[in-house]
Each structure stands twice: as structure tokens, then as C-alpha cells.
Amino acid sequence: MILVVCGPPGAGNTTVTLGLNRHLEADRYDFRVIHTDDLSTPVYDHLFERVAESPEANWLLDGTFYEAQWQQRIREFPDVNVILVTADRDTCIRRNHERDGVSERAVKVIYDEFDWPDADFTVDTDVLRVETAVDLAYERVQSWLVEADTVEK
């Protein structure tokens, strides 16, 4: 299974990814985690190469995936589920500034040019506390894991 956690910078993608990973590890699921912030350019080419090198692995991918071409390319792999983390533009700018992330201009450009994906599940961190967003996302992931297990049998 491939879990993609995506959204604009500052929406809470990495926080949700880390929370999901904690839940998955606690329940003894084995997922390999990739944060696009840790990859060199071309970031998404490197990400796709890693996933393709181990197609039997479970993956938890954290990135913006703000371009439709990246969303389409990841969907070419089997058993992909996309979790979209959203927040309004001002919230993303403020959070990004608080964490000393990418430039404010970059956040604005990415947010304004974001190709919003056809997500399998969405959490809005303006409405939900991040902990609640993580819990709801994990509930959905559990249902996907049960469904995948049922299909395999």
C-alpha cells in the first residue's frame, strides 16, 4: 500500500505523516517513510525511483504533490490512497513562517498554483486540531488496510 499525505506547505502534511507513522508503528504495520523535504532535486523523480525499487513495500509519502503530473504518476502504482491536508492560505503562510520553512513567496506560489488532487480522504487543519486530523486519518487508513487484507484473501 502507498499512502500519500499531501497539501500546501504549512497545512500540516508532515505533522499528519508523523502522527500516522506513530499509529502504524504502534499497531506493528511496516511502512517506509519518505519526506520530500529530505530528497535532493529532482525531488519527485527520486521519490518515484525509490518506490519503484521496492514495489512490495508499504510506503508513507509526505510531500506537497502540488502538480497534477506528480499526482498522476503516483497513481500509476497499485494500491495508492491520497490523504489531502488542507488549511487556508493565510494559515499556511503563518505556520510556515513559525517553523522557518520555505520562503513566504514560495508558499504563496505553491498555494495559488496548487492542482488540488482527487483525494481519497481530506482533513482540514483550520477546522480540526492536528491531533484530531491525525486520528481521523488513521481511522481511514485502518479501513483501507482491512479492505486491502480482505482483497488479498
Side-chain angles (χ1 to χ4, degrees):
M1 175 177 289
I2 299 172
L3 300 174
V4 176
V5 180
C6 66
N13 312 335
T14 299
T15 304
V16 170
T17 300
L18 294 171
L20 279 175
N21 193 44
R22 279 193 301 278
H23 283 298
L24 289 163
E25 286 179 341
D27 285 346
R28 294 194 166 89
Y29 289 106
D30 183 26
F31 276 78
R32 296 182 188 181
V33 181
I34 298 177
H35 303 282
T36 55
D37 289 346
D38 298 337
L39 299 175
S40 61
T41 56
V43 169
Y44 287 92
D45 288 341
H46 290 293
L47 180 137
F48 297 126
E49 287 170 11
R50 283 200 191 168
V51 172
E53 288 170 1
S54 297
E56 75 291 343
N58 291 315
W59 292 96
L60 178 55
L61 309 177
D62 167 31
T64 63
F65 284 84
Y66 76 92
E67 289 191 17
Q69 65 176 332
W70 301 327
Q71 298 164 25
Q72 292 163 357
R73 192 166 169 197
I74 197 64
R75 289 280 192 184
E76 292 173 5
F77 289 94
D79 203 13
V80 174
N81 293 286
V82 175
I83 299 170
L84 175 63
V85 182
T86 65
D88 72 31
R89 186 176 189 256
D90 291 336
T91 299
C92 290
I93 292 167
R94 178 182 48 78
R95 288 179 182 161
N96 183 69
H97 178 74
E98 289 171 356
R99 70 175 181 182
D100 201 25
V102 298
S103 73
E104 182 173 323
R105 182 179 180 283
V107 175
K108 290 177 180 178
V109 167
I110 291 170
Y111 196 96
D112 294 344
E113 295 180 4
F114 204 95
D115 290 323
W116 297 94
D118 183 18
D120 300 293
F121 188 69
T122 301
V123 290
D124 185 338
T125 60
D126 272 327
V127 176
L128 301 169
R129 290 183 28 234
V130 175
E131 298 83 9
T132 304
V134 168
D135 291 343
L136 290 172
Y138 188 61
E139 285 177 21
R140 183 55 61 99
V141 168
Q142 285 179 306
S143 72
W144 293 331
L145 289 165
V146 167
E147 184 179 307
D149 189 43
T150 304
V151 170
E152 285 180 14
K153 291 180 180 177

